Amino acid sequence: MEIKKKLFGILSNGKKVKLYTLKAGGIEFSLINYGAAWTSLIVPSRNGVHDDVLLGYSGFEGFVNDAQFFGVTVGRFANRIKGASFSLNGKTYRLKANDGENNLHSGPYGFDKMLWKSEAYEENEGVYVRFETESRDGDCGFPGKLNAIVSYGLTKSNEIIADYQAKVEVPCPVNLTNHAYFNLAGERNGSILSHEVILHSSSYVEIDDKCIPTGKILSVKDSPFDFLNRRRIDANFGTLNGYDHCFAVDGEPGKLRPCADVFEPCSGRTMKVFTTQPGVQFYTGNHINSGGKQGSHYVKHSGFCLETQHFPDTPNQSGFPSCIAGPGKDYNEKAVFAFSW
């Protein structure tokens, strides 16, 4: 196992952005402390070819100007909040509308635009980076001072471990995730539509034309949302432009359990995802149009996301599993991404 650290860039205020590269098993995994972002993930194929399977940018400026959320840690609340507002304990909180009338990923200055404190360490059978940030009372419109600690690690068993923790002084919605875009064929090797997917979800969150939940949790049976058996991503698109939907993960929230299984037939790479969270947002890169690494350009369906999280708009949906953290109720969630080839 190995940990390397070097300077990645300098912000306009003079603060330094660090790049960490972790090596364990057969994988090399790189992260930066700006946005606590995943920058690259180099995984072998069945034929021994090593490809970077994460969409992103080669240099510092790309991440500073990023509008696609490539690989970043999202918070305080991942996904959408209807009307960019919510009410809690009799008070209404106004957020920044950055997705039409709605709030997406906490607005334009969420955790993805923060410089996190960071520290690399080795523990048991893995190498890790611990990121920490403090969010002031009123930050992005949310109540209470919040302290977040996010640890990402790579094990000898070729697993990425993601651990999310937060403490907040007053009751507040909290929903943290990582927004990595994957292409298991390699980040510049075309569309992800031929990837084969299993989602361990018997139901999904119904949404309107603005991607806001209606409040209904529907069965995936006999619908384009049925990934209980392995199939190509585009096998049942029908009238869909692709997927940008939250699936309810089968099993008990709070317990680590299977979430997804993705196979790329040309490379032989497989990624299995496990989560403690109630849901996973499956996004097939429907609106990607961005410069990428080493002069490449990413377009629609160049990558997919599996964002383990609470359901969208949970602060406004009393029927969804609660996302409220506060005194006596810290936020603790975990995800695992296991690779084979």
Side-chain angles (χ1 to χ4, degrees):
M1 298 189 299
E2 185 179 0
I3 300 170
K4 292 183 178 179
K5 182 178 75 172
K6 69 177 185 179
L7 180 68
F8 190 64
I10 300 176
L11 295 170
S12 59
N13 59 9
K15 293 186 177 181
K16 297 178 180 179
V17 177
K18 303 169 188 174
L19 172 70
Y20 296 88
T21 298
L22 311 178
K23 292 183 180 180
I27 292 177
E28 182 177 295
F29 180 36
S30 295
L31 317 90
I32 56 174
N33 63 325
Y34 182 78
W38 303 6
T39 61
S40 70
L41 179 63
I42 299 172
V43 182
S45 71
R46 65 158 70 93
N47 296 319
V49 177
H50 290 70
D51 287 307
D52 187 351
V53 300
L54 284 185
L55 275 61
Y57 308 99
S58 297
F60 167 68
E61 291 298 328
F63 287 96
V64 171
N65 299 314
D66 170 62
Q68 303 280 344
F69 300 97
F70 285 147
V72 297
T73 298
V74 181
R76 290 188 190 189
F77 192 90
N79 216 313
R80 294 171 174 86
I81 295 179
K82 183 179 181 179
S85 68
F86 65 92
S87 295
L88 182 62
N89 296 332
K91 183 176 179 180
T92 297
Y93 296 90
R94 306 290 180 184
L95 313 175
K96 181 74 173 179
N98 64 327
D99 185 50
E101 297 177 350
N102 306 309
N103 176 272
L104 176 64
H105 298 325
S106 302
Y109 303 107
F111 287 1
D112 57 299
K113 297 301 182 185
M114 287 185 171
L115 185 67
W116 296 59
K117 297 177 183 178
S118 57
E119 179 183 13
Y121 62 97
E122 183 174 326
E123 184 176 273
N124 298 327
E125 296 296 301
V127 280
Y128 297 82
V129 182
R130 179 185 186 271
F131 298 100
E132 183 173 1
T133 194
E134 185 173 279
S135 175
R136 60 176 174 76
D137 180 23
D139 186 23
C140 297
F142 292 95
K145 186 172 74 173
L146 178 144
N147 179 265
I149 296 174
V150 177
S151 297
Y152 296 125
L154 182 62
T155 73
K156 289 181 178 179
S157 302
N158 300 309
E159 296 175 331
I160 292 177
I161 309 296
D163 186 75
Y164 306 96
Q165 301 177 40
K167 295 178 180 289
V168 62
E169 290 183 336
V170 301
C172 178
V174 180
N175 189 22
L176 306 182
T177 193
N178 186 275
H179 208 294
Y181 287 76
F182 298 94
N183 185 329
L184 297 185
E187 52 86 23
R188 59 177 59 207
N189 290 336
S191 166
I192 47 81
L193 295 180
S194 64
H195 286 48
E196 299 172 6
V197 175
I198 296 172
L199 296 179
H200 299 280
S201 297
S202 301
S203 57
Y204 72 101
V205 178
E206 184 185 54
I207 55 175
D208 64 17
D209 60 355
K210 303 296 184 184
C211 294
I212 296 297
T214 65
K216 295 180 180 178
I217 309 295
L218 302 181
S219 171
V220 301
K221 187 177 181 181
D222 299 324
S223 81
F225 304 98
D226 187 353
F227 285 92
L228 289 170
N229 295 302
R230 184 183 302 276
R231 63 176 175 85
R232 281 176 56 118
I233 287 175
D234 63 357
N236 199 10
F237 265 8
T239 59
L240 293 173
N241 180 45
Y243 296 95
D244 191 4
H245 296 79
C246 191
F247 289 74
V249 180
D250 291 343
E252 183 180 344
K255 291 189 176 181
L256 192 66
R257 63 209 190 282
C259 168
D261 187 325
V262 185
F263 174 66
E264 201 289 302
C266 293
S267 66
R269 296 185 182 103
T270 295
M271 180 178 75
K272 295 185 178 182
V273 185
F274 304 81
T275 184
T276 58
Q277 301 257 44
V280 60
Q281 187 81 10
F282 181 39
Y283 177 50
T284 53
N286 310 330
H287 305 290
I288 297 176
N289 183 13
S290 172
K293 297 176 180 177
Q294 300 177 357
S296 63
H297 191 86
Y298 304 136
V299 296
K300 181 178 180 179
H301 304 319
S302 290
F304 70 91
C305 303
L306 288 166
E307 306 158 54
T308 59
Q309 59 184 243
H310 280 259
F311 299 163
D313 199 37
T314 290
N316 293 314
Q317 300 282 350
S318 61
F320 290 177
S322 175
C323 65
I324 304 301
K329 189 180 180 183
D330 295 342
Y331 179 93
N332 292 285
E333 302 288 358
K334 184 176 181 178
V336 176
F337 299 79
F339 295 87
S340 59
W341 50 88

